[in-house]
Amino acid sequence: MSSATATPTPTATPTAKDRRSFSPGRVVAWAFLVLFILLTLFPFYWMLRTALSNNVALAANSANLLPADLTLGAFRRVLGLATLEEAQAQGGSGASLSFWLYLRNSLVVAVLVTVGQVFFSSMAAYAFARLRWRGRDVVFAFFLSALLVPPIFVALPNFLTIQSFGLLNTLPGIALPTMLMTPFAVYFMRQFFLGIPRELDEAAKIDGASHLRIFWRVIMPMSIAPITTLSLLQFIAAWNDYLWPLLVGQTEGSRVLTVALGVFRSQTPQGSPDWAGLMAATLIAAIPILVLYLLLARRIVNSIGFTGIK
Amino acid sequence: MSSQLTPTVPATVAGTVRRPRTTRPRRRGGDARVAAFFLFPAAVGFVLFFLWPTVRGIWLSLTDFNLFGRGEFVGVDNYVDIAQDDLFWNSMLVTLYYVVLNIGFQTAIALGLAVLMQRLTTSLLVRICLLLPYLVANVVVALLWFWLLDFQIGIVNTALDWLGASRLAFFGSEDLAIPTIAFVNVWRHMGYTALLIFAGLQMIPPTVYEAASVDGASEWRTFWSITLPLLRPVLVLVLIITVTGSFQVFDTVAVTTGGGPVNASRVIQVYIVERAFERSDFGYASALSVVLFVILAVIAFAQNKWLRGGESDLA
């Protein structure tokens, strides 16, 4: 390590030390990094491998890296495509699962939350970033203070509110509390709006455009990138949420996927659960997020610095 | 965009000079009315689902409200009961145990990962892989590890068997339930936390490292004398996010152990939900969540104060 050359190149960065790339320290460091990546990815592979297995054959091949008796049976069971006999022959419980319904419910809730929240929070952010009015900063600080309130704290009273609206066990009831705003969404959009040059809306204003028009025709089209990022983050959050939908959506018709997975797991017999079915269901629940991530990984990864370093 | 903006007033010769002036008086009075319009939906959401429930939650904690009828005002009775509630103290201890394990390992591993990434590669692919567990639902992660750690045919126990070690009932034994749940959540969050720290590392100017390298500092010395001190504000922020987050662990426990065996993994948030919805003690559960709220606020405040989170050593 002491072999560092005394003539640093002007563009040298900590990562540009190619000349020493075969030192023992670096090999060990790479080994660690690869180990962690494997530790991260292997469980996902194992989920896929199990989902493609025949549940009966699973016990005998518990360590085989390939699917035990490769079959799509688990997926067919979960999606309700298998007959009762077929399901039981493969070690499924035969209990039917309205997976399509839960999938639809999750989709409806996540879309309602995302579209509503991003739009209404953007409107609020416009008021905080582009308009001048007395008390603006105080009101904004007030909005932000809601970030400190733990979700469980508002969950109990919100349950009563949703109940008094008669929206228990409905999808709008699940979506409503985060549909109109979250402090984070307002903050996120405001940060971006603050960076847009004032001349733009000044010019539009001189042309006689109303604020509504400036917001919709000038500011929003310029903000496609942060809107996409925010939508992604909030869609994922809404799709993955468990506690609130568990409290509010308890009937079959209002159950979302995460809650259904919990129910599915508690329904499987204690002795030998339908592991292949459970992993197939779990994988299906994760697929929309995995697909979104595949398509927009760069955007999500790059947004992490922003969400953390406020 | 702007091409579709049709001027309401024809742009005549006189326009250019006078129009900016006519907009000024409106500006001086402020855009209060327009702002009210833009703020309306979000304000309704804020008042209805953040402000009002906060006030109502505090009020409920002073009543014996249950889901079947109206509650009576009971003053601080709930809080007195909490102080004498063994299950509450147990849940606090269990939660604390979980937080210490979770945060300790998560921060150490994430810091290591972030430094590895900084020194070895800025590859997007590596970051994409490491973030993957963070994006899937807690419930999915919980069920996945429930299967990996299954006593009978889970791959981890099969591997233990193969190594000659004895099988472990990870979720089923009182001693292992919390460490296991902590491990599962470390696995889910380590990539995310590493990326937060990595973002902080990127803000340290490369010149500092060059200087250290010129002086012949070892990697180890560089880490302790440069990276760690300069990273402190970022680490404080990460700690505030992760500590307050891990105090509220719920999904993983609810799906895997449900709080058991016996009370071994009944963390505070599981206890709150149980009191509120299984026993219908809404007032008592509200008091419990006030206690949790206060604890989290104190932690966030103390962390910021003690660790001098606002200051940077970079100045």
Side-chain angles (χ1 to χ4, degrees):
Chain A
M1 295 289 154
S2 57
S3 63
T5 49
T7 52
T9 51
T11 54
T13 64
T15 50
K17 290 185 177 171
D18 300 327
R19 258 165 283 164
R20 297 191 304 169
S21 57
F22 287 106
S23 74
R26 282 180 74 84
V27 172
V28 172
W30 268 108
F32 265 107
L33 192 58
V34 170
L35 184 80
F36 270 104
I37 292 171
L38 281 180
L39 185 68
T40 303
L41 295 183
F42 177 77
F44 288 101
Y45 170 71
W46 205 243
M47 174 158 66
L48 178 68
R49 173 261 182 198
T50 308
L52 290 172
S53 296
N54 182 332
N55 201 49
V56 177
L58 212 51
N61 295 290
S62 57
N64 196 329
L65 284 178
L66 295 173
D69 190 9
L70 182 72
T71 170
L72 284 174
F75 287 100
R76 291 173 53 83
R77 283 204 296 287
V78 168
L79 295 175
L81 302 171
T83 62
L84 190 63
E85 299 82 46
E86 194 187 338
Q88 281 167 345
Q90 291 180 334
S93 63
S96 70
L97 198 71
S98 320
F99 224 81
W100 293 110
L101 177 68
Y102 307 142
L103 203 65
R104 190 209 67 179
N105 288 348
S106 273
L107 202 65
V108 169
V109 168
V111 168
L112 275 178
V113 167
T114 308
V115 173
Q117 187 190 128
V118 170
F119 181 72
F120 294 131
S121 295
S122 295
M123 282 177 66
Y126 183 83
F128 286 126
R130 314 293 295 183
L131 299 174
R132 285 163 211 205
W133 43 286
R134 218 196 292 171
R136 183 182 64 179
D137 297 339
V138 179
V139 174
F140 180 64
F142 211 54
F143 262 58
L144 273 195
S145 68
L147 278 171
L148 294 172
V149 184
I152 183 71
F153 189 82
V154 287
L156 302 185
N158 278 347
F159 178 85
L160 299 178
T161 304
I162 293 298
Q163 188 182 39
S164 65
F165 287 172
L167 290 175
L168 278 190
N169 299 318
T170 66
L171 300 182
I174 300 176
L176 199 55
T178 43
M179 219 175 98
L180 295 172
M181 68 92 69
T182 62
F184 171 72
V186 175
Y187 173 82
F188 185 96
M189 291 314 298
R190 175 179 172 270
Q191 282 306 93
F192 184 81
F193 288 168
L194 282 177
I196 298 176
R198 283 226 155 255
E199 288 74 22
L200 262 166
D201 39 338
E202 293 287 333
K205 209 177 288 174
I206 290 166
D207 282 349
S210 66
H211 277 291
L212 200 59
R213 210 175 163 82
I214 295 173
F215 171 71
W216 191 241
R217 294 280 188 196
V218 181
I219 303 291
M220 287 300 263
M222 287 190 67
S223 314
I224 296 288
I227 286 171
T228 312
T229 304
L230 182 66
S231 305
L232 268 172
L233 293 176
Q234 302 311 85
F235 184 89
I236 291 173
W239 185 272
N240 289 345
D241 198 13
Y242 178 68
L243 175 60
W244 178 251
L246 175 74
L247 301 181
V248 175
Q250 294 187 327
T251 56
E252 183 85 358
S254 63
R255 197 171 282 158
V256 299
L257 261 177
T258 47
V259 179
L261 279 178
V263 173
F264 189 38
R265 130 99 175 96
S266 58
Q267 276 174 351
T268 52
Q270 213 58 44
S272 58
D274 176 8
W275 284 118
L278 194 55
M279 285 302 107
T282 311
L283 191 59
I284 293 173
I287 278 175
I289 301 300
L290 298 178
V291 169
L292 271 183
Y293 192 45
L294 268 180
L295 294 176
L296 294 148
R298 177 187 296 270
R299 192 177 285 282
I300 296 179
V301 168
N302 287 337
S303 72
I304 295 301
F306 183 88
T307 55
I309 318 294
K310 285 165 188 170
Chain B
M1 311 167 238
S2 47
S3 64
Q4 295 182 4
L5 292 172
T6 44
T8 46
V9 187
T12 49
V13 257
T16 40
V17 187
R18 294 201 63 185
R19 235 160 257 147
R21 202 169 289 159
T22 51
T23 58
R24 219 165 270 161
R26 215 192 292 160
R27 168 69 43 78
R28 207 174 289 148
D31 304 314
R33 274 169 147 195
V34 191
F37 169 79
F38 274 94
L39 220 48
F40 183 71
V44 169
F46 177 77
V47 171
L48 211 53
F49 295 108
F50 289 94
L51 186 61
W52 164 236
T54 303
V55 176
R56 195 178 189 188
I58 295 170
W59 166 251
L60 282 171
S61 78
L62 302 171
T63 71
D64 61 359
F65 187 92
N66 63 54
L67 285 175
F68 307 111
R70 298 191 67 84
E72 297 281 317
F73 181 79
V74 295
V76 295
D77 280 10
N78 286 326
Y79 294 95
V80 174
D81 289 348
I82 287 174
Q84 296 160 344
D85 181 353
D86 288 342
L87 276 176
F88 163 74
W89 289 110
N90 177 71
S91 75
M92 280 316 298
L93 279 178
V94 168
T95 309
L96 217 55
Y97 181 37
Y98 167 83
V99 170
V100 169
L101 281 180
N102 183 57
I103 296 303
F105 284 102
Q106 182 173 303
T107 313
I109 292 174
L111 184 59
L113 271 174
V115 171
L116 281 180
M117 279 193 280
Q118 189 207 19
R119 305 303 272 177
L120 297 175
T121 174
T122 50
S123 157
L124 189 68
L125 191 65
V126 169
R127 282 182 277 161
I128 288 173
C129 290
L130 289 175
L131 191 66
L132 191 59
Y134 179 73
L135 295 174
V136 293
N138 273 317
V139 176
V140 167
V141 170
L143 288 173
L144 177 53
W145 280 98
F146 200 63
W147 160 230
L148 289 158
L149 298 174
D150 178 61
F151 187 79
Q152 299 292 340
I153 53 172
I155 181 70
V156 175
N157 267 317
T158 308
L160 284 177
D161 225 18
W162 185 70
L163 290 169
S166 55
R167 289 171 178 263
L168 295 170
F170 287 98
F171 289 107
S173 85
E174 283 187 49
D175 291 339
L176 283 179
I178 282 294
T180 304
I181 291 163
F183 164 80
V184 169
N185 283 331
V186 166
W187 179 81
R188 180 170 186 260
H189 288 273
M190 65 185 185
Y192 172 75
T193 313
L195 285 189
L196 288 184
I197 299 175
F198 181 71
L201 283 173
Q202 299 294 87
M203 294 192 295
I204 300 176
T207 46
V208 186
Y209 285 102
E210 282 163 35
S213 161
V214 170
D215 290 346
S218 67
E219 291 276 341
W220 196 243
R221 179 77 204 269
T222 309
F223 174 75
W224 285 107
S225 303
I226 296 179
T227 307
L228 215 50
L230 290 185
L231 206 55
R232 207 195 47 227
V234 176
L235 281 178
V236 170
L237 196 103
V238 168
L239 276 177
I240 291 177
I241 296 175
T242 52
V243 171
T244 50
S246 70
F247 253 98
Q248 300 172 63
V249 57
F250 177 81
D251 303 2
T252 320
V253 182
V255 174
T256 55
T257 66
V262 197
N263 295 318
S265 63
R266 184 172 283 103
V267 292
I268 181 74
Q269 193 151 314
V270 169
Y271 187 47
I272 293 174
V273 170
E274 199 181 277
R275 287 302 288 245
F277 292 95
E278 279 165 38
R279 296 212 236 158
S280 183
D281 292 337
F282 235 72
Y284 192 78
S286 298
L288 285 171
S289 53
V290 170
V291 171
L292 177 63
F293 191 176
V294 170
I295 292 172
L296 294 179
V298 168
I299 290 173
F301 182 76
Q303 274 174 323
N304 218 11
K305 200 97 184 164
W306 289 336
L307 299 170
R308 294 178 295 148
E311 301 165 31
S312 165
D313 288 348
L314 258 180

